[in-house]
Amino acid sequence: MTRLRNTASAGAAQWKMWLIRVFLVMYSTAVCGAQTAENVSSTPFSLTSFEPTSMEASTVSVPEPPLPSLELQSSWLEVFPSEKVELRCNISGSSDWKIVWLKDEKELVEEQNLSFSADKSILTITAAAQMISGSYSCKGQHKTSSVGTLSSSSLKVTVYQNTPKATLRQSPNFNKMFPGEQINFTCLVDVASGWEYQWYHNGTKIQALDTYTIASIDHSNSGEYFCKAKRGRGQFYTEQSETTSVQVSDPPTPSLKLLSPWLDVFKGESVHFSCEVSESDWTYSWYKNLHKIEDLEDDESSHNLTSVTQTDRGDYACRAHLKDRGVTSGLSNTATVKVYENTPEPTLSKVPDFTPMYAGETVTFTCTVKMSTDWIYQWYKNGENISSATGKTFSLPLSLSNGGNYSCKATRGETTSTSQSAKIQLDVHEIPVPHLENMTQWLDVFPTESVKLSCWMPRGSGWIFTWYKAGEEVKADDAVSFDPDGSILSISSASAKHEGPYKCKGHLKDRSVSSNTASELTLTVYEEHPKPVMSQEPKADKLYVGESVSLDCKVEISSGWEYLWSKDGVALPHRSRTFKIHDANSSVNGSYECTAKREKSAYHTQPSDRRSLQISEIPVPQLKHGWLDVFPSESVRLSCGMEEGISDWTYTWYKDKQKVQADDTLSFDSDARTLSISSAAAKHAGRYSCSGKLKSRPVYSTNSSERTLSVYDTKPRVTLMQEPEYDVMHTWDSVSFSCHINNSSGWEYLWYKDGTPLPLQSGHNYNISSVATKDTGSYTCQVKRGVGVILQSQQSQAVKLDILERPKATILLLTDWSEVFATDSLVLRCEVQASEDKWNYTWFREGNQINEPTSEKHVVTPQNDPKQSLYQCQGIRTGQPSYSKFSDSFKTKNLLLKRRVLLSISGCLFFGLIAVLLGCIVLRFIRKPAVDDDKPEEENLFLTMAQLKDRSDAPDPMVEYLTDEGLNALPKEADENGTLPITTEEGQALTTMSDDTEENKGGLVSFKQ
């Protein structure tokens, strides 16, 4: 793009004089207003009096009119239709000047394609046609005078009639590009300027400048390329360039060809290769095992290996190159050269490959060398060359004389020869006799069952067979069929008609060989319906978790059965005769049943009897023991056993987790159920446990709980204790002795009194519930335990016990007979005999305690004892003894009544005696005395008290009165007052009274003792 500007050569200096000229123009206008324009413009003048302050004084002449300058405001002067050109005209002091536009020196007027700005300083040209083209300029015309400026320099505007077309160029310009090459595209518009270029690949815009470069091309860059240009704000576009097609292809893959016969060669042979591509101008390089062979020229299209060795083995390939473009192809196909160290051994085969062969047949031998090709063959029988045979195959009609060892070898070229092949033994035999077999494993079948008989030859193959029953050929029917070669006779549903002897005969298929008839097999068809028998192993009613159990189902008749099992009526996925359960647990519990059927047959037997299987948890043995803390030399016995079936197990013992072994002091019984230690020692101490093993089966229990055996190092010591701890006790007291041992258990306690054994008592206590004086003595105890070997402690310390008689209470009657006339009550006193201790007393009536404060005295009145009861008393105190014996019973029955009767009798006697005395006195005086001799001596009925005392047989009237004999004379009164007898104490009291009669001078005595 070219932008033109017109500037006057003197413009640089004119601005300095601008102000001066303005003043000159004003001055010239004022002074020369009357002059003509010609005179004004041509007459020079000067101002000698004007001196600018900013520059040196000079002589100024009247300036010429300003020269307009023309500027291009738009981008370019070469335009295309519809583009616009904008020109600007600048005149110094433009406000005084009117601008005039010129085209090709002709003044322009405003029209459709030409427009001016308001002050005409700007001209806008619309390129509508080529007629717009031309040289444009401008000049000035003074607004108030006829003065005009010169024309400005011109600008030439060119309008092109047609839209330009971009030109696309490619470098390098190859028809085919290869990946990795560089390609450059250049887009050019040869008219105008200011172009901006746009690029397109397969119709899609891409970013690029004037030149589009692909530094390393690949397949994605293939396609159609074109470009176009644009410029200006109005986005004027050229036509797109012609399309350039770029094809990116991979370099051609060279083809490696073998020119020599073989790739697998032997040492000394040659191999020749050639490398070819479908295009020209390519050179080649060669590779072995992906490494370039450096000693070859790059342009060699062939490669030769002569007289190969093992070093020539490998994979060979080649590459093609375009050197002037730096393009290299990929590797060609690979050819693997094998170099054999040794010549191969040929392989000999025989067709037909039957062993044996039969006389009359033909055999063909084939000699094969697996390495390489193009071999020539030689044949040998028993080591001798067969000159008539030179090909790879050798055919021979057989007779018995053709048997022998056959071999071959091969040669290739002049230097290569194989070793001799392995020998093939050719046996030629007579035709064999077939064998007849039962394929269904049974010849005794049941109706509807299938039967299969097989006829086969012991040698060879390809035989077909014919069947005979009882000498007649068997024909196929609804139940009988044959295999295609007749080797198998099948009876789908046996019946009685199929029973009989069967034979077969063989024929070689496609061979004229027929055999003799085979020996016969006889088929039997049963009619009964069998039932299987189920058995169990192990034969035990109780099985344990973890055991293996086997159930066996057997059908006694025939064979070849398949067995169906069920548990609790549900079929099990098991088909063999034996149903084995490993690692049994409770989930296998149930009722089992089996049914048999023929293999691949629908024939079923009856179901077997059911067998119930119960799996129990393995019991844990219980360890039983006596005592677990023992003393040296003491025996120990531990027993191990199951709760059930104890004799079915053997046992193993462990101490501190280690198995216990028998020794001189430790032994086991027959099943090791009992561990016995004959003489305990410290080494036997520890934690014992046991486990069980079932005798009949490998069933092992877990270990029992452990028990700890302790062995003391000292003998046991016993201590005797007494409760209560009194040295002296009284009869009726209870005492308890306890014998204590410092350790262990299982002891038997022995008791001694004064060294004499006492009866055994259970436990460690010896109790005497009520002591007696005979229990006085020295007590000791001792412990023992064991059976056989007895462990016995020493005797304990002695405890001495003294037993005294318990004191007895006595009831005394305190009421005196002299008080009989003054009171109506009895006073009783209780005291403990022969005791000086202070006692309290408890009174009892008819065996029941009287609820009164304890006192030594008790008063009996008719009011508090209307029935006159039986009384006892007992002494109590805080010390020992704490209580006394009960007193003897004191009977108060009719005692008060007797006192009243006595009082009445006493009165009667007293007054009666007085009356008798008075009567005697009267009679003495009034009665005539008799003759003494004639009169018998009269017994004195009334003795004095002194006389009565002297006589031993004189009755005591009071005693006679107070005894039961006197009372018995009054049965009615006795019945009314009860049957209370007079107590011994009363008799004692009366006796005491009789003894004291003399002391009381023959008077009445008191009952008080």
Side-chain angles (χ1 to χ4, degrees), residues 39 187-188 391 400 403 446 477 501 591 771 810 826 863-864 884 894 940 966 982 990:
N39 292 331
C187 191
L188 179 66
L400 293 178
F446 299 89
D477 57 21
S591 179
V771 298
T810 302
L826 294 177
Q863 289 75 26
N864 63 18
S884 70
N894 297 323
N940 190 359
I982 298 299
L990 293 176

Side-chain angles (χ1 to χ4, degrees), residues 113 192 207 315 320-321 368 405 580 667 746 797 818 876 879 914 961:
N113 297 318
Q207 298 295 328
D315 297 330
H321 309 276
T368 303
N405 292 319
K580 293 185 177 180
S667 61
Q797 83 283 4
S818 62
I876 57 175
I914 293 176
Y961 170 75

Side-chain angles (χ1 to χ4, degrees), residues 264-277:
D264 47 345
V265 295
F266 300 90
K267 287 193 302 182
E269 293 186 313
S270 299
V271 180
H272 303 286
F273 297 108
S274 68
C275 190
E276 299 177 1
V277 293

Side-chain angles (χ1 to χ4, degrees), residues 405-451:
N405 292 319
Y406 288 81
S407 62
C408 67
K409 73 176 182 178
T411 59
R412 183 176 74 175
E414 297 178 355
T415 60
T416 303
S417 177
T418 70
S419 60
Q420 195 163 322
S421 72
K423 296 177 181 179
I424 291 182
Q425 174 69 36
L426 177 62
D427 294 324
V428 182
H429 292 271
E430 294 293 341
I431 300 172
V433 176
H435 287 219
L436 182 57
E437 266 185 2
N438 177 21
M439 293 183 65
T440 51
Q441 300 179 356
W442 58 85
L443 283 171
D444 45 351
V445 297
F446 299 89
T448 72
E449 278 197 295
S450 62
V451 179

